[in-house]
Amino acid sequence: MKPIVAIIGRPNTGKSTLFNRLAGQRISIVDDTPGVTRDRIYAETTWNGKEITLIDTAGIEPKMKGEILSEMRSQVDIALATADVIVFVCDVKVGVTADDEEIAHMLKKSKKPIILAVNKCDNVGDLPPQFYEFYNLALGDPIAVSAIHGKGTGDLLDIIIEKSVVKGLAPPENNEENSPIKISVVGKPNAGKSSLVNKILGENRMIVSSIAGTTRDSVDSLVKYNNEDYILVDTAGMRKKARIDSDIEKYSVMRALNAIDRSDVVLLLIDGVEGVSEQDSKIIGYAHDNAKPIVIAVNKWDIVTKDDKTQNKFKSEIAKEFPFADYAPIIFISAKTGQRINEVFENVNFVYNQARMRVPTSALNEIIGEAVMRTQPPAFKGKRLKIYYATQQGVCPPTFVLFVNDPHLLHFSYERYLENQIRDNFNFKGTIIKIITKGKNAQ
């Protein structure tokens, strides 16, 4: 097993900055506002050839109250139960606080290996007097680190590996073979993204609240379905730009778009009660422009007032709003009850394989030839397009090259006609198809 390391501490001690430094990338949102990190954030990192799973957590305030604060505390508790090693982060500039002492007492009860990291020691070689106060927490020798400058983080990783070995874990070498399918779960706020991920995982993996925009960070979750591994990326709900009134929310939208970029399949969740929105169109448009296989899931179908025509009407509305993505399969689900959740994975597998499908060159040329015989290309200034040869250049998305007499003679309407012929004959669904034209003498 690879060790799971939870980063714990009070708000604003630099946990997310340290997490980002150890992960080697900016994953957690870093902001001066206390309580920015609300969900558990996971990341994989490698140190000296050994893999480690890191968990960033919401800041612990032992006496915090309120719905969101209570949920944050429960998320920390889950992280503690999951972790093999705990890194307790304190702030040398603030010194030891009563909350630090209470957290230390709580961590000792976990019986897990604990590493005390005293952050903001920007000059590790010249430690301030208050650094030595942290010995009073009785958690062993503190490690001086500066997350913002990276000082002491190598020593911290060495100790993490050392604690893992003592615990009997053997972190495996990094291996990217047989990588799970990455599914980015996207949609506007309150479409039910976190509820869907929680239902699939069977645990309160993320904070679920009726407050729109609760999920600020993209959170990767590994799940197994029918003996296949998948990674679910639950993203911050996207809002119209006019409603993004804080830097934190801007980061979240950027992260959601980044989640689409790094995913294999995009699962767009639409609120079945509110219907299709302009924002849904922008989200799916971004996924389409980035050539991602798409599955559209209409959520909350259990509470939609419907008859035998409601589903077809909804499909017609989607077709009207997303004419460019008419290839994407549409399913109707309920994240709350679990209705048709199995269809999520069935369709994800389908579009994933579609995006990677190759067709025989001979069959492709036969289909193109028959299509031209049925409908001749339109003439332009006395000239007509001639297609000499077709071949598939690549996948993800499926890309086809047509060798022609003049690339400028391919009208967009005729290109769409050829695309539909390829799609219908080879059963391409759930993925865009790209057609590239090259002149007769192109290499």
Side-chain angles (χ1 to χ4, degrees), residues 2-3 45-52 161 165 170-174:
K2 73 178 74 171
T45 192
T46 303
W47 182 250
N48 288 339
K50 305 298 182 183
E51 283 188 348
I52 303 169
I161 296 295
V165 171
E173 300 294 330
N174 191 15

Side-chain angles (χ1 to χ4, degrees), residues 16-17 20 26-33 36-37 41 213 215-219 234-241 243-262:
S16 293
T17 303
N20 290 339
R26 197 174 191 276
I27 299 171
S28 281
I29 295 173
V30 179
D31 194 278
D32 290 335
T33 308
V36 169
T37 302
I41 313 300
T215 302
R216 288 176 176 163
D217 292 290
S218 301
V219 184
D234 178 76
T235 58
M238 298 186 187
R239 302 167 185 243
K240 293 182 179 179
K241 288 185 179 180
R243 297 180 62 186
I244 301 174
D245 53 6
S246 71
D247 288 338
I248 295 171
E249 192 113 3
K250 290 177 185 177
Y251 296 150
S252 297
V253 173
M254 291 168 57
R255 182 161 292 103
L257 298 180
N258 178 261
I260 292 175
D261 291 337
R262 66 189 180 87

Side-chain angles (χ1 to χ4, degrees), residues 148-164:
I148 197 167
H149 298 299
K151 294 179 179 178
T153 53
D155 292 338
L156 177 59
L157 285 165
D158 284 339
I159 296 172
I160 288 172
I161 296 295
E162 179 185 320
K163 296 278 188 182
S164 302

Side-chain angles (χ1 to χ4, degrees), residues 63-74 211:
K63 298 178 182 179
M64 54 188 175
K65 299 178 181 178
E67 178 189 352
I68 291 292
L69 293 176
S70 174
E71 289 288 346
M72 288 165 61
R73 176 59 183 268
S74 71
I211 302 171

Side-chain angles (χ1 to χ4, degrees), residues 109-145:
K109 292 181 180 179
S110 71
K111 304 297 183 182
K112 302 286 180 74
I114 301 167
I115 303 170
L116 177 57
V118 181
N119 192 26
K120 305 183 184 179
C121 295
D122 298 335
N123 188 355
V124 177
D126 186 17
L127 296 175
Q130 58 266 38
F131 172 82
Y132 300 96
E133 295 176 9
F134 289 92
Y135 279 94
N136 294 326
L137 294 177
L139 293 174
D141 292 334
I143 305 298
V145 299

